[in-house]
Amino acid sequence: AISSEGGVYLMYYMGGSHDETLLSEFLPGGGIQKDDDTKVKGMKMKIGVALSQDGKSWGRVEGNHHTGACITPFDLAEENGENESSNTNMKEELYCAWPYVVVNESTAQFLLYYSTMEKVGLQKCLSWAVSTDGFAWEKRGVCLRPSSEPDSLDVKGCARCSIVPNAAYDPKDKIWRDVPGFTMYYEGVGEDNKHRILKATSKDGKDWEKQGLVFNVGDGDSWDCGGVGSPHLIRLDDGITRMY
């Protein structure tokens, strides 16, 4: 959730319905045959927004899609296909999920980043969209793709990110001061199928440069040796940054 102008909170969330999708559409060949007709519910996830004045009671805000969602998977067979394709030349998506929103103060725009999987090639990517009010969004396409090098820690996918506007701590006044640019923390999926937390940086929120590993899986048989992910950062008043 973010605090918007006028003292209200906007919460962005993902959801799935009872619509059925072929399980084979999400698997790259292993574990299930492409002619298998097994179906699953809730996989074609969408993103919605809710509003609150106190952070406790929330009400959904109807998005532009007929389902009420504000961000839906780009699908040429759906109503959203023609408009989104003409604006972004983007590829079809299987889902839109795990949203994260920041405000670009220099452009007065809301920036929304979300996890998706492309229908052709099944790449797990991070895509983004922009808005002037936080409710109506225009997609801009993929902003971060898996690396092509086989030993890269995100060779099998990029997912579930959080973005923070850059800031420098002033120990004299004990406050964080804004500095240009953004930093993204995201899940990278390696060749070993383990999820790790990686970092990327951007000057404008559009073009991103990968910076590599910032938080690895646990050692030995520790409780998080199988993977770490879904990073979320907060800055404390004493200059410390915590990641959960």
Side-chain angles (χ1 to χ4, degrees):
I2 63 170
S3 178
S4 183
E5 292 183 4
V8 299
Y9 297 94
L10 300 178
M11 178 174 66
Y12 297 90
Y13 64 96
M14 67 185 191
S17 69
H18 291 291
D19 292 343
E20 294 185 333
T21 309
L22 286 172
L23 180 60
S24 59
E25 289 189 10
F26 297 87
L27 302 176
I32 191 169
Q33 298 297 322
K34 283 295 182 181
D35 58 356
D36 192 306
D37 60 357
T38 302
K39 294 183 177 180
V40 290
K41 295 180 180 180
M43 289 293 288
K44 197 169 184 177
M45 293 173 284
K46 306 174 180 67
I47 294 171
V49 59
L51 184 147
S52 174
Q53 293 183 331
D54 58 10
K56 299 178 182 179
S57 301
W58 297 86
R60 291 179 175 85
V61 178
E62 292 292 313
N64 291 332
H65 194 256
H66 66 83
T67 60
C70 62
I71 295 282
T72 63
F74 171 48
D75 188 341
L76 289 172
E78 296 281 341
E79 293 180 1
N80 66 358
E82 182 179 351
N83 293 333
E84 293 190 47
S85 178
S86 63
N87 287 336
T88 65
N89 294 318
M90 64 190 300
K91 297 180 180 180
E92 291 184 279
E93 302 167 313
L94 290 174
Y95 58 77
C96 298
W98 293 281
Y100 199 94
V101 176
V102 293
V103 178
N104 187 339
E105 299 291 350
S106 63
T107 62
Q109 283 185 320
F110 293 79
L111 309 179
L112 184 149
Y113 300 85
Y114 63 94
S115 299
T116 188
M117 177 185 283
E118 292 181 336
K119 192 172 184 178
V120 177
L122 302 182
Q123 272 199 337
K124 293 181 179 179
C125 308
L126 290 167
S127 291
W128 70 303
V130 299
S131 173
T132 57
D133 59 10
F135 300 106
W137 295 89
E138 185 176 334
K139 288 184 179 180
R140 289 289 190 260
V142 173
C143 64
L144 207 65
R145 290 186 178 278
S147 298
S148 57
E149 293 79 6
D151 59 345
S152 298
L153 294 179
D154 61 357
V155 67
K156 285 193 173 182
C158 304
R160 286 178 285 273
C161 70
S162 65
I163 292 91
V164 290
N166 289 342
Y169 185 70
D170 185 336
K172 180 179 179 180
D173 294 332
K174 296 183 178 180
I175 60 173
W176 290 92
R177 299 191 185 278
D178 295 336
V179 297
F182 299 87
T183 300
M184 173 193 292
Y185 298 86
Y186 69 98
E187 283 184 36
V189 186
E191 187 63 39
D192 58 1
N193 290 316
K194 290 187 177 183
H195 294 230
R196 298 170 174 85
I197 298 176
L198 311 181
K199 185 174 81 169
T201 55
S202 174
K203 295 179 180 179
D204 55 11
K206 173 184 177 182
D207 299 311
W208 294 86
E209 183 176 348
K210 295 180 180 180
Q211 303 295 333
L213 178 71
V214 294
F215 197 71
N216 207 346
V217 298
D219 295 328
D221 60 353
S222 57
W223 70 272
D224 58 354
C225 65
V228 291
S230 298
H232 184 79
L233 281 82
I234 60 171
R235 293 184 175 121
L236 303 181
D237 293 340
D238 59 1
I240 298 296
T241 300
R242 289 183 181 176
M243 179 172 66
Y244 295 87

